[in-house]
């Protein structure tokens, strides 16, 4: 969680990556609550990335680079996504290679998961389509609603 990391960094503590750390979160069981949670997380991601950037620029060039890249990629990919929507609207047959591409990317992105837990990994394919249709667009809602301090909390 970037907010907790930022709080520790501001107080002078060192942060370390632990690959076997376990974290728990409440998972919403209703679609509307899930979307609210994802929007909250996107807002926090954007806000906390800007908070950590000055620290990263001073102390860790790799962290600064990673922070900038992860902030920019969703926004830089907007044009490609809009072009895909345009193609599908005017040439509907393009939906087939687009869906196949999204599925292939999901498999590649989660390749290790397919070896570790193949039954769970299969869900990454439909989720990737859901991500492209719904979750991705929450970045834009988050960006243009950062001023709203309610955050949509439960």
């Amino acid at each position: 969680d970037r907010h907790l990391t930022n709080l520790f960094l501001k107080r002078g503590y060192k942060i370390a990556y632990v690959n076997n750390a376990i974290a728990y979160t409440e998972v919403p069981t209703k679609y509307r609550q899930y979307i609210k949670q994802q929007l909250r997380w996107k807002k926090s991601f954007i806000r906390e990335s800007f908070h950590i950037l000055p620290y990263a620029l001073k102390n860790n060039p790799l962290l600064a680079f990673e922070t900038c890249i992860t902030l920019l990629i969703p926004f830089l990919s907007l044009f490609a996504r809009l072009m895909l929507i345009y193609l599908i609207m005017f040439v509907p047959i393009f939906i087939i290679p687009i869906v196949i591409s999204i599925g292939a990317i999901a498999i590649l992105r989660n390749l290790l998961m397919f070896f570790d837990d193949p039954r769970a990994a299969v869900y990454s394919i439909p989720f990737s389509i859901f991500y492209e249709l719904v979750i991705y667009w929450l970045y834009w809602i988050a960006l243009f609603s950062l001023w709203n301090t309610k955050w949509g909390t439960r």
Side-chain angles (χ1 to χ4, degrees), residues 22-135:
I22 298 172
Y24 296 95
T25 188
E26 288 185 36
V27 179
T29 57
K30 305 243 188 297
Y31 178 78
R32 181 180 168 95
Q33 292 160 335
Y34 176 73
I35 295 301
K36 284 172 70 172
Q37 176 202 55
Q38 292 300 303
L39 181 57
R40 226 178 18 255
W41 287 6
K42 300 287 184 253
K43 282 177 154 183
S44 178
F45 171 78
I46 294 168
R47 192 186 90 198
E48 297 302 327
S49 293
F50 282 111
H51 282 280
I52 202 169
L53 202 50
Y55 169 86
L57 289 168
K58 273 192 235 173
N59 298 294
N60 189 327
L62 186 58
L63 176 60
F65 176 75
E66 187 271 339
T67 301
C68 289
I69 291 297
T70 57
L71 261 176
L72 289 175
I73 284 177
F75 303 107
L76 293 175
S77 65
L78 176 65
F79 179 74
R81 284 176 166 92
L82 292 175
M83 285 303 297
L84 291 175
I85 291 168
Y86 177 81
L87 278 173
I88 291 169
M89 285 174 39
F90 293 101
V91 187
I93 194 74
F94 273 115
I95 198 163
I96 295 168
I98 291 168
V99 169
I100 290 170
S101 298
I102 292 170
I105 291 167
I107 291 169
L108 289 173
R109 183 172 186 237
N110 298 299
L111 196 55
L112 292 177
M113 190 178 178
F114 277 92
F115 291 109
D116 188 43
D117 188 359
R119 289 192 309 180
V122 169
Y123 292 106
S124 68
I125 298 168
F127 179 78
S128 65
I129 295 166
F130 174 71
Y131 179 90
E132 291 301 320
L133 294 174
V134 178
I135 303 296

